[in-house]
Amino acid sequence: MDNDLEILKQETLSALDKAQDLREWDAVRVAALGKSAPLTQKLKELGKLAPDERKERGAILNNLRQELTAAIETKKLILEEVALQKKLSAEAVDISLPVSIQNGLIHPLSRTIEEITAIFGAMGFTVAEGPNIDSDWYNFSALNISEYHPARADHDTFYLPSDPLNHQQRLLRTQTSTVQIRTLLKEEPPIRIIAPGRTYRADHDATHSPMFHQCEGMVVDKGITLGHLKGCLVDFLRAFFGIPHLPIRFRSSYFPFTEPSIEIDIGWNRKTGELGGKSDWLEILGSGMMHARVLANCGVDPKEWQAFAFGVGLERLTMLKYGIADLRAFFESDVRWLRHYGFSPLKPASMHEGL
Ligand code: DAH
């Protein structure tokens, strides 16, 4: 090999050796094999030589080109590997460090719904649902609350524009009792359902929110009496609050959709907020034997089937059970509040563990 070719080879190999990264490597590649590289020029000039000389010199030049190409490709692989290792060590995760992410928690209201579902589930109830936007008929008329009935005024209803298809007055349901009607129209008795869900009334203070939650319950069967209502709700309240001898008082009341109507109070201490004593009574639940007219409105013969129903506010149940003072905090999405009152999703409510 000519001296100048030997120099070219040594210079390229030494520059290649010094290249620290892919950019420097590319500069060496272009200088050695690019269009204006000396070797490329020499290859171009081969045509000017006599055939014999061209053959000999062509072989030398092409060998050199192959040798340099191989060295350049090898160096590329080495630099790529170095770059990968650098990236991996820069992005390394120390898995021995404690996790700094806060796990999600179950909102206390969701927890209450889970617990109620577990308790009534064990008594053979299933969960029913209805829409939040409903019609005046489902929310009032079918429940025996006629157009000018004063009970409507108690509810501070949010009305919506009428349904353009059937011209029915629409509203945000003020009570989950709408689900009684929807279930009776859809299912054949015997029926045992609970219906937890959102309800709405124009009310806002420390114990009222314009959006709140209720749970409705309904049992339709043959020969259902007030005794069944009583047994079922006593068991429920004692299981939910975890107080086996929780004092419970049944007080006669009035709801348009029940006859007789019963309000249920539990024993507590008004000053300390503690449950279980007998010093004061706190109203907690509305209930009653379903009015024959409500059953008839849904095509169920009240002579054949009897029913009881109840409705309970879920915020109040939750506040009492966990000692939460202000209802508005339920809906402020403050993670500090949730960290304090929330529940681990890995420990769901279950009857066998005790609620
Ligand atoms: N819907 C009633 C309310 O919002 C609660 C209620 C009372 C529901 C008696 C019932 C019932 O099913 O039988 O105040």
Side-chain angles (χ1 to χ4, degrees):
M1 201 180 342
D2 301 351
N3 202 26
D4 60 336
L5 287 187
E6 187 58 42
I7 292 172
L8 188 71
K9 179 178 161 183
Q10 291 312 325
E11 275 177 2
T12 305
L13 292 179
S14 119
L16 203 56
D17 199 37
K18 285 190 199 120
Q20 297 283 332
D21 55 34
L22 287 164
R23 251 187 57 221
E24 287 175 18
W25 166 85
D26 201 47
V28 176
R29 182 186 65 82
V30 172
L33 305 173
K35 263 192 212 147
S36 44
L39 185 57
T40 315
Q41 292 304 319
K42 289 185 194 313
L43 279 161
K44 270 190 200 157
E45 286 160 12
L46 278 178
K48 289 183 202 158
L49 300 178
D52 276 0
E53 213 182 337
R54 186 193 308 158
K55 201 176 166 196
E56 194 190 336
R57 185 140 172 95
I60 295 173
L61 291 178
N62 276 316
N63 278 345
L64 178 59
R65 191 180 158 84
Q66 271 172 20
E67 206 180 322
L68 291 181
T69 305
I72 287 170
E73 284 310 309
T74 308
K75 179 73 182 184
K76 186 183 182 199
L77 293 178
I78 293 169
L79 287 175
E80 278 174 346
E81 179 63 22
V82 169
L84 178 66
Q85 290 307 330
K86 231 189 201 168
K87 193 165 179 229
L88 286 179
S89 62
E91 291 173 1
V93 175
D94 183 351
I95 53 166
S96 65
L97 284 176
V99 183
S100 63
I101 308 160
Q102 175 75 37
N103 283 333
L105 292 166
I106 302 287
H107 192 285
L109 262 180
S110 304
R111 177 69 180 195
T112 291
I113 293 174
E114 285 174 359
E115 291 181 352
I116 291 182
T117 307
I119 296 170
F120 281 104
M123 295 194 234
F125 286 67
T126 55
V127 174
E129 286 181 334
N132 288 10
I133 296 178
D134 214 328
S135 74
D136 179 276
W137 188 79
Y138 282 102
N139 197 77
F140 293 125
S141 313
L143 287 157
N144 198 35
I145 312 177
S146 57
E147 200 173 342
Y148 300 104
H149 198 293
R152 284 192 186 221
D154 297 339
H155 282 215
D156 296 324
T157 311
F158 290 112
Y159 285 100
L160 299 166
S162 301
D163 189 324
L165 291 177
N166 57 21
H167 305 291
Q168 278 191 1
Q169 174 63 61
R170 285 187 302 184
L171 43 75
L172 291 176
R173 69 178 179 192
T174 62
Q175 48 186 349
T176 44
S177 305
T178 50
V179 186
Q180 292 183 17
I181 306 299
R182 291 190 169 270
T183 308
L184 285 172
L185 288 173
K186 211 166 48 194
E187 284 174 29
E188 292 290 322
I191 297 170
R192 272 185 220 187
I193 55 123
I194 55 163
R198 294 194 183 110
T199 43
Y200 305 82
R201 292 184 201 177
D203 232 348
H204 203 193
D205 59 37
T207 51
H208 295 91
S209 147
M211 187 281 298
F212 58 106
H213 295 73
Q214 288 189 337
C215 181
E216 198 74 14
M218 177 174 75
V219 172
V220 189
D221 210 328
K222 289 189 170 152
I224 290 291
T225 69
L226 259 182
H228 296 112
L229 177 157
K230 205 174 157 190
C232 174
L233 294 177
V234 165
D235 279 358
F236 161 63
L237 289 170
R238 291 186 173 157
F240 178 78
F241 288 114
I243 305 175
H245 301 291
L246 180 71
I248 297 174
R249 182 170 77 171
F250 289 78
R251 188 162 38 78
S252 115
S253 180
Y254 170 77
F255 299 104
F257 32 87
T258 44
E259 180 58 38
S261 301
I262 312 280
E263 228 145 9
I264 301 176
D265 305 332
I266 55 175
W268 79 319
N269 185 318
R270 194 179 298 279
K271 279 201 202 92
T272 62
E274 218 175 307
L275 293 175
K278 266 194 180 154
S279 51
D280 302 293
W281 291 105
L282 181 69
E283 175 196 324
I284 190 109
L285 224 147
S287 68
M289 300 305 293
M290 279 178 69
H291 201 296
R293 222 177 277 154
V294 176
L295 292 171
N297 283 345
C298 303
V300 177
D301 181 358
K303 292 212 179 68
E304 195 182 346
W305 301 99
Q306 290 73 46
F308 75 80
F310 58 89
V312 58
L314 299 184
E315 281 78 5
R316 167 166 283 195
L317 283 186
T318 310
M319 288 165 85
L320 281 170
K321 182 161 176 175
Y322 302 111
I324 301 171
D326 194 325
L327 177 142
R328 287 167 292 200
F330 276 88
F331 309 118
E332 281 168 359
S333 305
D334 184 334
V335 285
R336 291 165 303 177
W337 183 88
L338 191 59
R339 259 177 227 148
H340 185 80
Y341 289 110
F343 293 88
S344 164
L346 299 176
K347 285 199 77 195
S350 77
M351 285 298 286
H352 69 270
E353 273 188 6
L355 291 168

